[in-house]
């Protein structure tokens, strides 16, 4: 049996480990990795940008991982075509691989809205190690940066830029507050407060209309003490230049919807992701908000499975089709897909698709399930910096937000998943006495 | 067959001996007196809870398909050869992102006192006979360290998981 896996991030790595579990049988495994780096923790890229972590330190598995597990790795090469009839995958370098079962773990790519100037030097996204590396190089040389997007990635990028030493970091947020898809007003305010402590600034109800480049104008947003301009010194090929003019094509600022101009030597566009579905789509596979899969994570193409950010899943609570787009889900799907590739027939249960934990400075936030519902209970204790919001639908916990203290969060998550009636425990849940609720569940049996 | 810490709920009297022993075993000083003297704030990884008249210790079940391993964005949480699920001693170190805290259905992972890393049962507490500190400390035999056959392991997990609503 020859298993081929395209993509070596969360889903790909989980699949490899599962295929190599005891009982997995002797099989050949080939992994095709578009990025040249060995698998790394994508979510920790902001730490690399902030200068808190070296690139090698966010490696997901030991360096000898593939060798130890007997996996053939083609790294830094993309698969360009899938021929499901012939069971073949063609690689960019001309190689051809024949598979018995294939896993598409191609993930997602950052969206770059088609705005004027979006391709200028100095306009970035933050999705890959290469992005983080390029951003770090420029961040050292600018005084002002703009981040477009007040979601998780945008805010992590903004804080990282600040920690990397950029003096002015402004986040342009389309909605009236931060993290509109993850948090309520109170929790968002806690995050905002913490980020402001770090010196990050915010502009709400606004969007970027255009990225402007330094043609003719004086450099703005660039360090004036940055020494001599040396072309090619870093990846984007431009640099700060005391009083001299910036070369054409180099970002000098952004224009907002209301025509306000903000100086910026670099901008990060954090406007969400787009699932990588082309291989499947061009081969005739069904695609919705990601590659469509059945409950065994098999695509509409025979012997082609898919897992991770590239697939569409059905939200456990709403029943709506959504793009997967979470590390935890990518990892567990990689496990399930691999089990099914081994013929173990393991149905993947509909997941919760709001399942976020993030830390901004000293503020921890966890958000799971529904943000709103028929009944909402909150507890706000500024003294202990604890905030809890519980959303009930009848007797069931349908979602929650924790900010500040997050211990025991997993008990709430399990309750949201199971739908066990727990209204009678509302006081314990609001008070954070999750162990009590867990034990009462055990005893009830 | 790897051993597990099994809980006989009906025997627990809620004395918290296990909790204390766990904290001490995870202190630098390895003794209650020493830990207090050092001003340490060791954290227990087993917690005794009370629900109505019932008292029960809860700790990590070292789950088969551990959700905390799936969730760990750093690759720190891993399974050791002896089946222990832990976030220390592996390739990566913990970044305190609390993804594991978010998904553990038993609330068995918590932050350390300083909020710099997640702590959980790591079985780094076994005495020279290989018995974990919590089991050793329990005066009523509510905690047992034993091998479980696949069937009863499945059943035990099943009971716990269903009760809590599944993972
Ligand atoms: C800054 C940042 C912070 C994040 N924080 C969180 C967080 O806190 N919590 C959370 O749940 N999620 C977070 N995420 C999202 C998380 O990283 C993703 O959900 C996760 O990485 C998805 O894993 P995956 O394996 O599906 O795909 P990806 O990680 O997207 O990897 C897919 C891989 O496949 C490769 N590939 C694609 N097409 C091909 C091809 N044709 N041939 C060869 N290779 C190909 C790509 O190059 C890539 O390396 C964050 C993401 C970012 C960028
Ligand atoms: S910490 Fe929780 S999720 Fe992880 S193995 Fe232990 S019981 Fe399972
Ligand atoms: S808190 Fe530590 S062990 Fe837990 S998921 Fe984050 S990095 Fe992994």
């Amino acid at each position: 049996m020859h298993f081929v896996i395209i993509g070596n991030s969360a889903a790909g790595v989980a699949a490899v480990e599962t295929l190599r579990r005891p009982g997995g049988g002797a099989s050949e495994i080939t992994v095709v990795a578009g990025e040249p780096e060995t698998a790394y923790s994508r979510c920790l890229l902001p730490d690399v940008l902030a200068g808190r972590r070296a690139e090698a330190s966010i490696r997901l598995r030991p360096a000898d991982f593939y060798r130890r597990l007997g996996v053939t790795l083609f790294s830094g090469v993309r698969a360009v075509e899938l021929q499901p009839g012939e069971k073949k995958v063609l690689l960019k370098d001309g190689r051809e691989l024949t598979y018995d079962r294939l896993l598409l773990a191609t993930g997602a790519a950052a969206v770059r809205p088609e705005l004027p100037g979006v391709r200028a030097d100095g306009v970035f996204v933050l999705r890959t190690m290469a992005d983080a590396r390029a951003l770090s190089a420029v961040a050292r040389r600018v005084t002002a940066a703009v981040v477009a997007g007040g979601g998780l990635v945008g805010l992590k990028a903004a804080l990282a830029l600040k920690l990397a030493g950029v003096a002015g970091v402004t986040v342009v947020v389309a909605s009236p507050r931060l993290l509109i898809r993850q948090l309520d007003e109170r929790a968002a305010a806690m995050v905002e407060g913490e980020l402001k402590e770090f010196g990050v600034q915010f502009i709400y109800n606004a969007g970027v209309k255009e990225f402007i480049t330094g043609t003719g104008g004086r450099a703005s947003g660039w360090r004036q003490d940055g020494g001599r301009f040396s072309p090619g010194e870093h990846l984007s090929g431009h640099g700060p230049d005391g009083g001299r003019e910036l070369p054409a094509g180099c970002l000098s600022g952004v224009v907002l919807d209301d025509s306000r101009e903000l100086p910026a030597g670099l901008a990060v566009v954090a406007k969400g992701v787009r699932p990588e579905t082309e291989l499947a789509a061009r081969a005739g596979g069904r695609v919705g908000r990601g590659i469509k899969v059945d409950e065994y994570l098999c695509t509409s193409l025979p012997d082609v499975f898919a897992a991770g950010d590239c697939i569409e899943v059905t939200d456990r609570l709403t029943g709506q089709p959504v793009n997967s787009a979470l590390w935890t889900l990518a990892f567990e799907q990689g496990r399930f897909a691999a089990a099914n590739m081994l013929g173990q027939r393991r149905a993947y249960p509909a997941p919760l698709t709001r399942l976020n934990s993030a830390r901004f400075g000293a503020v921890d936030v966890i958000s799971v399930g529904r943000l709103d519902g028929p009944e909402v209970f909150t507890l706000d204790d500024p003294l202990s910096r604890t905030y809890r919001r519980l959303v009930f639908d009848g007797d069931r916990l349908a979602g929650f937000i924790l900010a500040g203290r997050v211990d025991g969060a997993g008990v709430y998550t399990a309750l949201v998943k199971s739908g066990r009636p727990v209204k009678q425990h509302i006081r314990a849940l609001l008070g954070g006495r999750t162990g009590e609720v867990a034990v009462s569940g055990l005893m009830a049996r | 067959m790897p051993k597990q810490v099994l809980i006989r709920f009906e025997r627990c009297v809620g004395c918290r001996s296990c909790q204390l022993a766990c904290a001490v075993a995870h202190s630098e000083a390895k003794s209650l007196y020493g830990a207090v003297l050092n001003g340490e704030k060791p954290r227990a990884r087993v917690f005794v809870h009370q629900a109505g008249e019932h008292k029960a210790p809860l700790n990590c079940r070292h789950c088969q398909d551990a959700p905390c391993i799936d969730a760990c964005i750093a690759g720190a949480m891993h399974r050791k050869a002896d089946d222990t699920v832990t976030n220390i001693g592996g390739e990566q170190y913990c970044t305190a992102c609390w993804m594991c805290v978010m998904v553990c259905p038993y609330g068995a992972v918590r932050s350390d006192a300083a909020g710099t890393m997640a702590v959980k049962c790591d079985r780094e507490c076994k005495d020279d006979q290989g018995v974990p500190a919590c089991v050793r400390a329990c005066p009523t035999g509510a905690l047992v360290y034993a091998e479980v056959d696949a069937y009863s392991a499945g059943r035990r997990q099943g009971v716990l998981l269903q009760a809590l609503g599944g993972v």
Side-chain angles (χ1 to χ4, degrees):
Chain A
M1 187 68 87
H2 184 203
F3 297 118
V4 173
I5 300 175
I6 316 283
N8 74 328
S9 185
V13 165
V16 166
E17 287 178 342
T18 309
L19 291 173
R20 282 291 185 246
R21 273 190 187 175
S27 58
E28 203 187 323
I29 302 178
T30 305
V31 173
V32 182
E35 293 180 72
E37 296 83 11
T38 57
Y40 59 90
S41 302
R42 199 170 299 290
C43 315
L44 298 184
L45 288 175
D47 287 358
V48 173
L49 171 55
R52 285 174 161 185
R53 285 237 193 183
E55 280 185 26
S57 82
I58 67 162
R59 197 165 52 202
L60 191 55
R61 291 293 182 264
D64 64 352
F65 176 74
Y66 294 100
R67 196 169 38 79
R68 199 165 37 79
L69 293 184
V71 171
T72 309
L73 174 71
F74 294 122
S75 72
V77 52
R78 287 179 72 86
V80 288
E81 194 181 328
L82 168 57
Q83 300 177 341
E86 290 76 48
K87 295 203 163 181
K88 268 191 194 159
V89 178
L90 312 188
L91 307 192
K92 182 80 188 281
D93 62 6
R95 249 182 292 223
E96 273 186 30
L97 299 173
T98 311
Y99 62 83
D100 292 304
R101 299 208 170 118
L102 178 75
L103 177 66
L104 296 172
T106 47
V111 168
R112 250 182 211 258
E114 280 309 322
L115 293 170
V118 74
R119 314 249 155 232
D121 262 355
V123 182
F124 296 91
V125 293
L126 180 55
R127 179 72 191 182
T128 63
M129 187 70 90
D131 293 334
R133 204 179 287 147
L135 257 167
S136 302
V138 179
R140 277 185 280 120
R141 333 189 55 154
V142 302
T143 53
V146 167
V147 176
L152 282 167
V153 172
L155 297 185
K156 287 180 186 182
L159 181 55
L161 286 169
K162 199 69 212 180
L163 294 172
V166 178
V169 177
T170 306
V171 185
V172 179
V173 190
S175 21
R177 60 175 167 81
L178 299 179
L179 296 170
I180 194 113
R181 290 217 298 260
Q182 279 81 26
L183 301 181
D184 66 350
E185 238 164 86
R186 176 75 189 103
M190 286 169 78
V191 171
E192 184 198 57
E194 185 71 9
L195 289 172
K196 279 185 169 163
E197 291 276 309
F198 281 92
V200 178
Q201 292 169 304
F202 298 94
I203 298 177
Y204 293 99
N205 302 307
V208 172
K209 183 165 80 176
E210 188 183 345
F211 298 92
I212 43 178
T213 51
T215 34
R218 225 182 93 119
S220 58
W222 286 93
R223 283 171 72 134
Q224 300 300 302
D225 59 355
R228 290 182 50 79
F229 172 49
S230 42
E233 194 173 328
H234 50 76
L235 279 175
S236 63
H238 62 250
D241 178 36
R244 289 194 350 218
E245 284 178 3
L246 271 180
C250 190
L251 189 75
S252 64
V254 304
V255 185
L256 304 186
D257 300 330
D258 60 8
S259 300
R260 241 181 307 174
E261 272 184 36
L262 304 176
L266 82 80
V268 179
V269 181
K271 287 292 188 184
V273 296
R274 166 181 62 73
E276 289 274 15
T277 57
E278 291 99 63
L279 282 177
R282 278 195 281 113
R286 290 179 60 212
V287 171
R289 281 157 204 250
I291 302 168
K292 291 221 186 230
V293 291
D294 64 13
E295 58 181 326
Y296 301 104
L297 300 181
C298 194
T299 67
S300 59
L301 304 168
D303 291 316
V304 179
F305 294 75
D309 279 16
C310 61
I311 71 167
E312 172 186 292
V313 292
T314 305
D315 180 81
R316 187 181 186 85
L317 300 175
T318 63
Q320 293 298 311
V322 290
N323 179 218
S324 185
L326 287 171
W327 180 271
T328 312
L329 301 190
F331 211 89
E332 68 181 21
Q333 289 158 9
R335 257 196 315 105
F336 274 85
N340 286 306
M341 289 165 81
L342 289 168
Q344 295 168 1
R345 298 291 282 173
R346 288 194 63 197
Y348 178 61
L352 296 172
T353 60
R354 185 179 292 104
L355 194 66
N356 287 298
S357 171
R359 158 169 264 203
F360 295 99
V363 173
D364 296 318
V365 285
I366 290 184
S367 155
V368 175
R370 284 168 62 177
L371 290 182
D372 239 312
E375 265 188 296
V376 175
F377 301 86
T378 59
L379 174 135
D380 193 355
D381 180 9
L383 219 60
S384 65
R385 296 230 288 174
T386 302
Y387 176 68
R388 298 193 183 95
R389 174 189 176 95
L390 306 180
V391 176
F392 273 86
D393 187 355
D395 276 349
R396 298 163 151 222
L397 185 65
F400 69 92
I401 294 169
L402 305 180
R405 283 198 50 205
V406 299
D407 279 352
V411 174
Y412 301 92
T413 304
L415 294 173
V416 174
K417 264 193 175 174
S418 72
R420 175 187 146 205
V422 280
K423 193 66 169 295
Q424 77 271 28
H425 296 298
I426 181 83
R427 284 181 52 203
L429 288 171
L430 260 187
R433 298 192 306 281
T434 48
E436 187 180 317
V437 181
V439 169
S440 78
L442 296 173
M443 295 307 160
R445 295 190 57 88
Chain B
M1 175 74 53
K3 288 184 172 185
Q4 298 279 358
V5 174
L6 304 178
I7 308 165
R8 293 194 278 193
F9 293 103
E10 71 287 355
R11 293 202 179 194
C12 177
V13 293
C15 68
R16 295 180 194 267
S17 301
C18 54
Q19 206 169 315
L20 188 64
C22 177
V24 169
H26 286 95
S27 69
E28 291 286 321
K30 305 284 180 216
S31 78
L32 180 57
Y33 186 62
V36 172
L37 272 187
N38 288 354
E40 283 186 59
K41 285 190 197 155
R43 288 226 155 170
R45 293 112 199 267
V46 54
F47 305 93
V48 179
H49 303 290
Q50 175 142 18
E53 286 126 56
H54 299 291
K55 302 173 179 74
L58 269 191
N59 63 358
C60 169
R61 308 281 83 210
H62 301 275
C63 308
Q64 274 282 296
D65 287 320
C68 59
I69 298 181
D70 286 349
C72 181
I73 57 168
M77 197 67 86
H78 65 288
R79 186 183 302 279
K80 294 202 300 187
D82 71 354
D83 224 31
T84 304
V85 175
T86 180
N87 61 342
I88 55 170
E91 162 81 358
Q92 287 307 336
Y93 56 92
C94 170
T95 60
C97 68
W98 316 137
M99 294 286 281
C100 54
V101 174
M102 174 176 72
V103 298
C104 173
Y106 307 101
V109 201
R110 306 206 172 187
S111 69
D112 64 353
T116 51
M117 73 175 285
V119 294
K120 67 179 290 299
C121 169
D122 52 14
R123 294 185 178 148
E124 301 282 316
C125 59
K126 291 192 248 176
D127 63 13
D128 42 15
Q129 284 148 42
V131 181
C134 55
V135 175
R136 173 70 67 208
C138 179
T140 65
L143 294 172
V144 187
Y145 193 48
E147 286 182 11
V148 274
D149 63 59
Y151 170 70
S152 64
R155 227 174 82 92
R156 176 180 49 86
Q157 293 277 5
V159 168
L160 280 166
L161 297 186
Q162 278 172 34
L164 272 178
V167 194

